[in-house]
């Protein structure tokens, strides 16, 4: 198993989408790269994120990034859907240097592909940084959209459960 942290707007929707992907074994919502180790403090620079444990024999990091790009506006800075503010920025975080290198290279390829397709020269606004701090969100935020499916989510419903297995 490997661990990666993705931010892409409100953590509720990102977790609900990611937890159904092939090869993703566990998810947990939290705060990444803030200055404190508590959820009870004022905003401290963190980004809302989803911690994912995944099996690289089933899903590659690059494929996980492709999935992330399905649910975000990769050019948006500090905004996804109606969620606005620095804590809603998009990013990929890891303690593993090889994850960061793979992510940067793959995002560069995606940026070039998108620019060629759309005949633009836009810069993708997904930060790729070393993980310096992670704290889990409070229990009320864990699996929120599974427990309360009518809560707000910035991800369109047609996408939210695109990969969820039918039971």
């Amino acid at each position: 198993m490997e661990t990666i942290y993705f931010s892409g707007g409100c953590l509720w929707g990102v977790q609900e989408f990611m937890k159904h992907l092939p090869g993703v074994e566990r998810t947990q919502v939290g705060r990444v790269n803030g200055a404190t180790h508590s959820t009870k403090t004022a905003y401290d620079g963190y980004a809302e994120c989803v911690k994912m444990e995944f099996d690289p024999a089933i899903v590659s990091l690059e494929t996980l990034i492709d999935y992330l790009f399905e649910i975000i506006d990769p050019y948006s800075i500090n905004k996804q859907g109606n969620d606005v503010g620095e804590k809603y920025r998009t990013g990929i975080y890891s303690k593993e240097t090889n994850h960061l290198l793979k992510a940067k290279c793959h995002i560069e390829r995606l940026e070039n592909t998108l620019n060629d397709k759309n005949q633009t020269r836009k810069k993708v606004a997904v930060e790729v940084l070393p993980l310096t701090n992670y704290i889990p969100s409070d229990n009320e935020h864990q699996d929120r959209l599974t427990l309360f499916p009518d809560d707000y989510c910035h991800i369109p419903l047609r996408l939210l459960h695109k990969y969820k297995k039918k039971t």
Side-chain angles (χ1 to χ4, degrees):
M1 285 301 161
E2 296 184 15
T3 303
I4 194 80
Y5 303 77
F6 281 1
S7 60
C10 177
L11 46 74
W12 295 349
V14 177
Q15 181 183 36
E16 185 64 25
F17 178 81
M18 294 290 177
K19 72 192 251 181
H20 299 291
L21 299 176
V24 174
E25 298 295 323
R26 277 179 285 296
T27 62
Q28 180 184 57
V29 294
R31 298 175 175 188
V32 68
N33 288 4
T36 64
H37 296 280
S38 171
T39 60
K40 307 299 183 219
T41 59
Y43 178 72
D44 66 355
Y46 66 84
E48 290 193 0
C49 76
V50 176
K51 176 183 179 181
M52 289 185 293
E53 293 178 32
F54 69 98
D55 184 343
I58 297 172
V59 64
S60 69
L61 176 59
E62 292 87 351
T63 299
L64 287 174
I65 294 169
D66 291 341
Y67 286 129
L68 176 67
F69 271 55
E70 286 188 48
I71 60 170
I72 64 167
D73 173 353
Y75 306 113
S76 184
I77 298 172
N78 300 335
K79 180 181 185 314
Q80 293 294 321
N82 292 331
D83 302 314
V84 179
E86 189 178 357
K87 71 179 183 177
Y88 298 116
R89 67 188 180 270
T90 54
I92 298 170
Y93 313 90
S94 180
K95 292 181 179 180
E96 304 295 327
T97 303
N98 68 320
H99 285 170
L100 301 174
L101 292 172
K102 284 181 181 180
K104 286 178 183 180
C105 288
H106 192 64
I107 288 172
E108 185 177 312
R109 283 192 298 271
L110 289 171
E111 180 179 86
N112 290 333
T113 299
L114 288 168
N115 281 330
D116 289 347
K117 177 182 170 188
N118 299 319
Q119 298 181 348
T120 61
R121 283 284 144 232
K122 289 183 173 181
K123 181 81 176 134
V124 166
V126 177
E127 65 183 13
V128 178
L129 295 171
L131 178 75
T132 58
N133 183 15
Y134 171 77
I135 54 171
S137 291
D138 298 332
N139 284 337
E140 67 199 54
H141 297 288
Q142 302 298 332
D143 298 303
R144 181 70 184 202
L145 290 178
T146 299
L147 300 171
F148 302 97
D150 293 329
D151 274 358
Y152 166 76
C153 181
H154 70 282
I155 302 169
L157 285 178
R158 64 178 167 66
L159 270 179
L160 188 62
H161 291 128
K162 180 177 176 181
Y163 300 99
K164 185 177 180 179
K165 291 183 176 83
K166 307 290 186 231
T167 55

